[in-house]
Every structure is written in structure tokens, then in C-alpha cells.
Amino acid sequence: MSETSLSVVVPVPATLAAPETGFLNLGHYQHPTRQLTVNSRYLSLDGRPWMPVMGEFHYSRYPESEWAAELAKMKAGGVDIVASYVIWNHHEPLQGQWHWDGRRDLSRFIDLAAQAGLLVYLRPGPWVHAEVRLGGFPDWLPATGPLRCNDPVYLGHVKRFYDQIGAQVKGRLWCDGGPIVGLQLENEYGSTGPGAGKEHIAELKRLAIEAGMTVPIYTVTGWPTLDIPPTEVLPVSGAYADGFWQGSREALPPSGVFLFNTRRVIGEMGNVDGTPAAGLIDTEHYPFCLAEAGGGMHQSYHRRPVISTEDVYATTLVQLGSGANLYGYYMYHGGTNPVCETGPLNETQASGYPNDVPQWGYDFHAPLGQYGQVRPSWGRLRLLHQFMQAFGETLAPLVAVLPEAGPLDPADRTQPRVSVRAVGARASEMEGFVFVNHHVRHHPLPALAGQHWQLETAQGDALHLPSEGSVDLRPGMAFIWPVGQRLGSLCMRQATVQPLTRWQDADGAVTWVGFAIEGVAAEVVLDASGLQGVNAFGAKVDQLDDGATRVRLVATDSPQLIELTEVGGRVHRLLILSQAMAAEAQQVQLGGQNRLVRSSHPAFLDASGEQLQLQRPAGEAGQLWIYPAQGLGGERHTAGVTWASWSWTAEPARQWALQPSLRQAAGQAPAIQWGPHISWRDGPVPLVPDESAQAGAARWALTVPAQALEALHQAPGQRLWLTLDLVGDVARLWVDGTVVDDRFCDGSRWQIALDRWLPAGAAPTIEISLLPIAADLPVFLEPAARAAGAGAVLREAVLSLSRTDAVSPRAGS
């Protein structure tokens, strides 16, 4: 450590108390051959600590013909459990008339999730919010009497709804050998008192079980109150980097989701009544589980945040460093509200709710968008998902420890943000992980030079990170370092590379995959015990004073291999990728063997588990690499290790710049109308312009070139994307005179899978309408969107073709 380094001391516990068991009345209704349980610290699957990733995807907001492909993408993104609301007014818009077909076919969705290798978590409300009209309640329900309480009439209707769901899930529950492992009751429930609060949640659980929804885990949202039956349900948390429900027209103050915190403080989470969180989740009884960690953020008319990849990555990393042991995204996959005979299904201020949200679009800027488009956050978050899957058994039992000096204030700009989940009586026995975050949305942190961390044991000795020198923290950095990694009889004492995944072959040899962190010198330190030899292939190897071996890797974009031979001759491998390369990589089981797949574009296994599918723009070349290459076909490519590889050439002329035809020029921006003042906001927010204002919208017709239509229908599995660059307020997509999608302009490009409305044959009439935006419209826009100016401008409209390439990698297949 240099004399100018700034050392932060973090105490590491010598041992950990055993988690509490027996308090929670959960873990019943078990699988015929497997077991899922929960204690006060973590979930266990088949007797091992388990750290699953859960992603929200609303089946009724997506065409059923595309479910299988999207579920496969979720699995390839590192998701273990797909969660979904069961939205009442999507299924019973008119009393007694049920819809369980098409995109509302819940049982088929569950079956396809199981085929994709996903577990299922259902959230049937009955009230769900979900930015749906009346929180998901059918229009006819409010007239029947009191809601969200133990009123007999209300409970009678809930029983009918739950019984319908019970029929859909029959034979698909965990206890049937199926994929459904959990159920959330209600959502954002704030009522208390007789017939409400804990009494109502207990009654909902009883009705769910009576309806046949018997699962090991029952949850409730841990906000806005904790008036819950304490042993009957597990309260879950949320973490959003921004909130469309907030009333501010400016960037929000520094958020606590970017600060390591072990108190599980849940602030205002967008619940309709705005009730502040009452109390804290009791860490003595409940593990830290999240069901609503923002995978992005929805739009409201008055607030249009665009969440960056760095925002969601840092939010996730901070929650993991704070002790999270189940990480559930809301949303992981966007969608579109379905057509309903009773009218629009979106939340509005006119319906008595706090926000105006788009009538159709529910993109949420999620890792997988409204049309299944793969965003950069999909690959970046997968770095953390694979870490949880490969190292969660070690990490889940470990508690989070923070430096005594803090920081404790989300606005602190002077101290490095660090958390440690580790245990060890001595530095030589320490095992765990170090989490560092230097990103805060809208408030870039200053560079902090010369940072060094000291993990101190109760015995007084310490582990120094890095082993020598220091790290300069730059704005936007967020990373994880491993401590005490076991590879057979060997120990990787510490490393300044981030763990990605690992696997063990039948002979006990371990392949450990990590990646170099941009701006951090990559080193690996290995204890001397059991180590016979190191082959570092060009990296610098030296010995420390205590006999440990240090490997300093070179700065390169290519993979680097380190072979470690233990006494007895068994060889373990460390494969270190660049950060960009790691975001392209996923571990899969292929041909009965663990392998690492890298791809230039998103790739996923099909339901057979034998064929890889690569989705790419047809105008871009595609590449796929798999390590180890043994038993596979393809070419051979050496980069650190030998990969099996496949490539596809770019196709010419697969993008078309459209020339929109202006049908109607924009009028004046609509006059501002104000909604009611909600008590938990500083004042009212603007209403979305009503339908009469649409008469002043600019309108363009778009002609799809014949070449584009011909190319689209030449082969299955192709998509035709329409990408629009707009400056304006409310945009709509019209097909043959009917609105099929909409969005509030937020400065990002609007990407639409236009092929949904382009069957073989004559092309429909495609139009875009756009209300002009006033320069001083009192809503929140990101700085780039605000700087784009006023009016209604269609700056660019481009069509592009994407395709799916398939390969069966096994030799001879």
C-alpha cells in the first residue's frame, strides 16, 4: 500500500450465527423429489443455499405466439424464475365472462416457462396496481361494495377469481412436480384495522390455498405497512432508481438505492395512496428478498425518466452487497396492454389514480423491451445473474458488513461506497466478496484516487485489497472482488477481477471465469498451500513475502488463461475476459458438459437444449464461440483458450430509410390542464391531453418498401423493426385507422416490431401521429430530451430487418 493510499477498514465477522428456522409457516406443499425452503436469511433449494433471479413478464401484455422465444431470452439472461401478475380485468372485464385464451392463456404460459427451464411465481392480487386501470379491478367491481378488506361480498368475488386461477394452475404447482413455487398476495397494501391489515392478508392466503394455489412460498410487499400475519407470509422489498409517480419536474435527489444499507429501509414505492413505509422489515425473521427492483422505469405523462444501463446495474449490485438473497425485477420484460371490450386498461388520473400512463405501451425501458428487443442492460445484468447462480451457495449465508465510518448519507460525495459479505477468523481463512459502487443516477460522483480496502478480522490481522498499491475510483464504476475462493485444494486468496461463473468437471478440476474491471489493474493472489505450479501464459508472476503467488495480468481485450496445478497433478483453470466480452458470455449445459458461450448478438438455447439461436440485425455479421471446444463442430479459434466458432455474414440492403409523407401539420401545443392535488405530492401534475387535443397532432403516413416486405416473408423468424426519432409530446402508431401503440416522448428512440401488423399480402396503412410539445411543458424530461426543443418533429424513420440463425454445435448433429 502506498503512503498516499486512503485505506477504508471493514470488520469481518469470525463466524456467523445460524439462521433462524421454524418461525415462518412456509415451506409446505413440497415437490415430489425436491425441496424449497426459507429461513431468516436465505432460500434453500434441495438443501443448498439458493440465490435466484426473478424477472417480471406479464403474459397478458404479450402475444402468445411469441412467448416461447421471450422466455428463452429470459433464461439466457440469467433469470431463474419468471413472475407475473394475474390481472383481474384482463380476465373478467364483464362480470361472469371469463377469458383464459390467446394472450390470456395462463396455463399455456406456465407450460412454456417450464419448457424454457424457468420456475414461475404468480402475483394474483386481487389488486395488483401494475399501472392498470383501477389497479386491475374490473370496472364492475367497485359498485359491489367495500374493496380490499374482509367484506363478505368482496371476498365472494375474490373467491371466484382465485378459483378460476386455481383451475388454470392445476397440475402445474411445485407440489405437482410443476414450476409454480410461490404466490404474492395483494400488492402495496396499506389498510389496517378490523377486517383489514393482517386479518385480510391471512384471509387471502386461506382463499388461495382453498382454491388449490398451494405453494412453498407466500409473500406480500413490505410497503407501505407491515401489518401482516408475521409467520404466514414473507415481506419483500423494492428498489427503483427513479419513479414516474414522483411529482418533481427536476432530477430527484441522490437515491438510497445507490448506497449500501443493511436496514432494508423501504421508502415511497409508488403505491397509490402514497403512505410512507411504516417500520422496518425485521431482519431477525425474514431474509432480504426483492420483488420490485427496477429493471427500468415506466413513463407517466408528467415524469418520463430514461433509466440507463449503469443505473440498473449499480442498483442491483448495491442490493446484493446489502444482503439481498432473492432479486426480482419489475419489469424484466415490457409489453402492451391488451384490447378489452370495456375500453382502455391503463391507469389514469381521470379514473381516480395518481398517474396518466400510456394507453397501450408498457415498455418500461426494461432489459427486454415491449417487443422483445434486447437492450444493453440485458447483457450487463447477466454479469450479476451468473455470479448469483455460480457463487450464490457461498454468498447467500453471508451477512453484509459496512465500514463503521460510512457513508450513511445517499448524498455523500467524499467517501467510497463499499460493503463486504465475508466471514473468517483470520485473514488466511476469509471467504466472501467485496462490493464497490461509485455510481449515482443524475449525480456523478467525483473521482476518488488512491483507494484501498482493509478487511480486518477479530484476531487483528487483515487482508489488503489490492495486495499492493491502490485503485482510482472513477464516476460510474461498480464492481465485485472475490476473497478466499476454493479451487479443489487450492485457495485464491484475493483478486481484483470480478467473478462471472465457475464449474467443476467430473474429475474435480475447476474452471473459474472472471473479467477484468475497466480502470483496475487485474491481479490474482494464490496461497502457497497445495500449489505445485502456475502457467500464466505471458502474465507477470511474482512471490509475496508470505510465499503466496501473485499473477498480474496484462491489459488486453483478449481472454487470458491461467493454469493452476495442485499437488497431485490436477489442473484448474482461471479464464479472465474483458468486461465487454464478459457481457457477451453465458454458461450453458451443452452436450452433457458445462461450457461458456460468447456471442456477438443475443443467443439462447431452444427448448431441446441442443440448438443455439442467435438473433441479430440482418445487416450485421454474427459470431458465436464456445469453450471448451471438445465434442463440438464449427471452426477452431484460439484466444486465450481454443473455442469452437461459427460465423454468419452480413446481408446487404437490409435497412431502409423511409420518407414519411406529412398528412397534417401540427397545430399549437395543447393547453395545460391540471389533475387533482394528491396529498403526497407538492402539488398537482399535468393531465395527459384529452382526445379532442389529438385534432392538433401532426400526422405522417409511412410506406413500407416492397423490398422490405419481400425480405420479411422470405424466411421464418425474421422481424421488421421500425425505429423513430421523435421530438414531441404524445406519439401514436396507427394501423388501418386504429391506434395500436403509443408513448410519451422521452428523448429515446421508439422501436416497434412492425411485422406484427404485416401479414403476407397487402400492406396496411401505417401512420404516426404526434402532439407538439411546448418548450415550457411542466413535466420531467431527461436533459437530452429537454434540449431537443419544442414542436412536433419526425426526425428519422428507419426500417431494419433482424433474423434468427440457428446452429446445433455438437459434432455430427
Side-chain angles (χ1 to χ4, degrees):
M1 182 173 62
S2 70
E3 294 181 359
T4 58
S5 295
L6 302 174
S7 187
V8 174
V9 177
V10 185
V12 173
T15 60
L16 295 174
E20 178 189 60
T21 59
F23 175 81
L24 293 169
N25 185 29
L26 301 173
H28 308 297
Y29 311 112
Q30 287 295 342
H31 191 282
T33 61
R34 309 189 67 190
Q35 189 174 52
L36 172 59
T37 59
V38 59
N39 60 42
S40 64
R41 197 176 302 154
Y42 53 85
L43 301 171
S44 289
L45 183 62
D46 299 331
R48 296 170 176 261
W50 184 47
M51 203 171 186
V53 178
M54 186 163 70
E56 190 93 6
F57 176 27
H58 297 158
Y59 61 94
S60 56
R61 281 173 158 157
Y62 210 79
E64 69 279 8
S65 61
E66 301 176 28
W67 283 345
E70 300 311 303
L71 291 164
K73 280 191 230 175
M74 293 182 71
K75 179 69 173 178
V79 172
D80 302 294
I81 307 170
V82 59
S84 182
Y85 284 132
V86 183
I87 302 173
W88 196 345
N89 60 17
H90 287 192
H91 292 285
E92 194 192 14
L94 300 175
Q95 188 171 357
Q97 298 182 24
W98 294 95
H99 300 289
W100 296 102
D101 57 350
R103 66 168 58 197
R104 296 168 172 85
D105 190 343
L106 173 59
S107 59
R108 180 165 181 261
F109 179 79
I110 295 166
D111 291 343
L112 289 173
Q115 290 175 25
L118 294 166
L119 298 173
V120 176
Y121 207 103
L122 294 182
R123 307 212 289 165
W127 188 90
V128 298
H129 197 184
E131 292 69 65
V132 183
R133 178 175 170 81
L134 303 184
F137 281 160
D139 283 2
W140 54 264
L141 186 65
T144 64
L147 307 177
R148 304 181 76 185
C149 64
N150 284 353
D151 176 78
V153 175
Y154 173 65
L155 290 179
H157 290 302
V158 172
K159 175 176 170 49
R160 289 191 310 106
F161 180 43
Y162 277 14
D163 285 347
Q164 286 279 324
I165 300 170
Q168 293 292 311
V169 304
K170 186 176 181 180
R172 297 171 173 87
L173 300 159
W174 182 249
C175 59
D176 302 317
I180 305 174
V181 294
L183 198 78
Q184 180 183 301
L185 304 164
E186 251 285 348
N187 191 52
E188 300 168 0
Y189 186 63
S191 298
T192 59
K198 63 173 67 71
E199 293 181 16
H200 183 53
I201 296 298
E203 181 61 15
L204 290 180
K205 182 177 178 181
R206 188 190 69 80
L207 288 174
I209 292 171
E210 186 179 88
M213 290 186 277
T214 50
V215 290
I217 308 295
Y218 294 87
T219 58
V220 293
T221 47
W223 72 92
T225 76
L226 283 167
D227 185 17
I228 60 176
T231 65
E232 296 300 313
V233 289
L234 171 63
V236 293
S237 303
Y240 288 105
D242 206 310
F244 69 83
W245 54 85
Q246 301 279 4
S248 175
R249 300 165 199 165
E250 308 297 332
L252 299 178
S255 171
V257 303
F258 300 108
L259 182 71
F260 296 105
N261 187 321
T262 59
R263 297 176 60 234
R264 306 189 206 169
V265 178
I266 299 178
E268 200 275 300
M269 286 287 296
N271 45 292
V272 166
D273 63 6
T275 308
L280 303 177
I281 292 175
D282 189 345
T283 58
E284 293 295 317
H285 297 312
Y286 306 111
F288 185 10
C289 299
L290 295 100
E292 289 201 23
M297 180 49 58
H298 196 33
Q299 304 173 317
S300 65
Y301 183 73
H302 70 273
R303 188 169 181 86
R304 310 177 193 181
V306 179
I307 304 299
S308 71
T309 296
E310 291 72 23
D311 293 337
V312 294
Y313 184 82
T315 299
T316 304
L317 185 144
V318 168
Q319 306 319 305
L320 295 180
S322 299
N325 276 336
L326 178 153
Y327 204 80
Y329 290 98
Y330 191 96
M331 298 289 293
Y332 188 82
H333 198 307
T336 306
N337 285 328
V339 175
C340 181
E341 57 262 51
T342 59
L345 290 173
N346 56 314
E347 175 182 336
T348 63
Q349 294 186 73
S351 64
Y353 278 58
N355 309 290
D356 288 323
V357 301
Q359 179 175 332
W360 298 102
Y362 201 66
D363 179 79
F364 224 85
H365 288 291
L368 296 173
Q370 178 180 352
Y371 295 94
Q373 60 268 49
V374 179
R375 295 202 165 97
S377 58
W378 179 83
R380 186 78 183 278
L381 288 170
R382 185 170 62 184
L383 300 176
L384 299 175
H385 302 166
Q386 294 193 89
F387 164 71
M388 294 169 68
Q389 290 166 341
F391 301 93
E393 187 175 340
T394 298
L395 180 61
L398 301 175
V399 299
V401 181
L402 310 181
E404 293 179 0
L408 304 175
D409 183 351
D412 189 297
R413 297 171 58 80
T414 62
Q415 298 186 75
R417 300 168 183 229
V418 61
S419 174
V420 173
R421 293 179 70 173
V423 65
R426 296 179 177 83
S428 60
E429 301 170 359
M430 202 176 294
E431 181 181 29
F433 303 90
V434 178
F435 300 79
V436 177
N437 176 50
H438 205 59
H439 174 82
V440 177
R441 171 172 161 80
H442 282 153
H443 302 275
L445 297 173
L448 295 179
Q451 300 301 307
H452 177 273
W453 292 277
Q454 185 173 318
L455 309 190
E456 194 169 85
T457 72
Q459 300 291 329
D461 61 346
L463 198 64
H464 296 273
L465 300 171
S467 65
E468 185 177 281
S470 60
V471 171
D472 295 338
L473 291 180
R474 302 181 309 194
M477 294 178 81
F479 56 84
I480 303 170
W481 284 347
V483 171
Q485 292 287 292
R486 307 300 308 188
L487 299 95
S489 65
L490 305 181
C491 180
M492 184 200 305
R493 180 190 299 176
Q494 61 193 78
T496 58
V497 297
Q498 182 160 327
L500 177 66
T501 189
R502 61 172 287 160
W503 65 82
Q504 183 171 303
D505 294 331
D507 63 356
V510 173
T511 299
W512 192 99
V513 185
F515 61 91
I517 300 155
E518 294 176 4
V520 176
E523 69 170 23
V524 173
V525 178
L526 303 151
D527 283 344
S529 178
L531 182 62
Q532 180 174 298
V534 176
N535 192 349
F537 300 96
K540 182 180 178 181
V541 180
D542 60 4
Q543 301 293 315
L544 301 183
D545 292 342
D546 63 357
T549 299
R550 177 172 57 193
V551 181
R552 295 179 174 181
L553 293 99
V554 297
T556 177
D557 291 332
S558 298
Q560 298 179 73
L561 178 66
I562 304 171
E563 290 184 340
L564 309 176
T565 303
E566 65 181 1
V567 174
R570 187 167 55 187
V571 178
H572 306 287
R573 293 173 176 83
L574 307 181
L575 181 60
I576 310 302
L577 310 176
S578 68
Q579 187 166 314
M581 190 178 290
E584 301 173 342
Q586 59 179 304
Q587 181 191 345
V588 301
Q589 273 272 342
L590 190 63
Q593 186 173 351
N594 287 294
R595 303 183 194 266
L596 191 70
V597 174
R598 284 179 46 221
S599 54
S600 58
H601 299 83
F604 52 90
L605 283 169
D606 70 357
S608 73
E610 293 295 331
Q611 188 179 80
L612 276 163
Q613 298 184 337
L614 183 81
Q615 292 190 339
R616 63 181 175 94
E620 297 181 9
Q623 289 183 293
L624 186 73
W625 304 267
I626 305 178
Y627 166 79
Q630 291 93 330
L632 303 181
E635 304 294 325
R636 291 297 181 267
H637 172 73
T638 300
V641 294
T642 299
W643 307 75
S645 66
W646 294 260
S647 61
W648 295 267
T649 58
E651 300 175 30
R654 288 299 184 260
Q655 185 167 296
W656 300 267
L658 303 184
Q659 301 299 320
S661 173
L662 182 65
R663 295 290 179 86
Q664 176 177 297
Q668 296 295 314
I672 298 170
Q673 299 184 45
W674 296 92
H677 180 197
I678 305 297
S679 62
W680 45 271
R681 289 183 181 142
D682 292 338
V685 297
L687 292 166
V688 67
D690 59 26
E691 280 302 307
S692 65
Q694 289 292 330
R699 201 168 182 120
W700 295 268
L702 301 179
T703 300
V704 179
Q707 307 97 302
L709 288 172
E710 181 181 353
L712 172 64
H713 297 300
Q714 278 178 346
Q718 300 194 116
R719 302 229 74 157
L720 190 62
W721 294 99
L722 172 63
T723 303
L724 301 172
D725 185 4
L726 303 168
V727 175
D729 192 13
V730 180
R732 288 177 168 180
L733 171 67
W734 300 72
V735 175
D736 285 340
T738 299
V739 180
V740 296
D741 198 5
D742 64 339
R743 65 139 45 177
F744 303 145
C745 296
D746 60 11
S748 65
R749 292 180 179 239
W750 191 12
Q751 194 172 32
I752 301 163
L754 199 61
D755 54 277
R756 285 188 181 171
W757 297 280
L758 297 175
T765 300
I766 308 293
E767 294 180 301
I768 301 296
S769 66
L770 182 62
L771 280 177
I773 191 169
D776 59 351
L777 183 67
V779 303
F780 170 76
L781 293 170
E782 300 288 353
R786 181 67 72 184
V793 185
L794 175 50
R795 297 195 290 196
E796 186 178 52
V798 176
L799 283 177
S800 59
L801 194 71
S802 70
R803 59 171 295 134
T804 300
D805 300 299
V807 62
S808 297
R810 294 176 64 184
S813 60

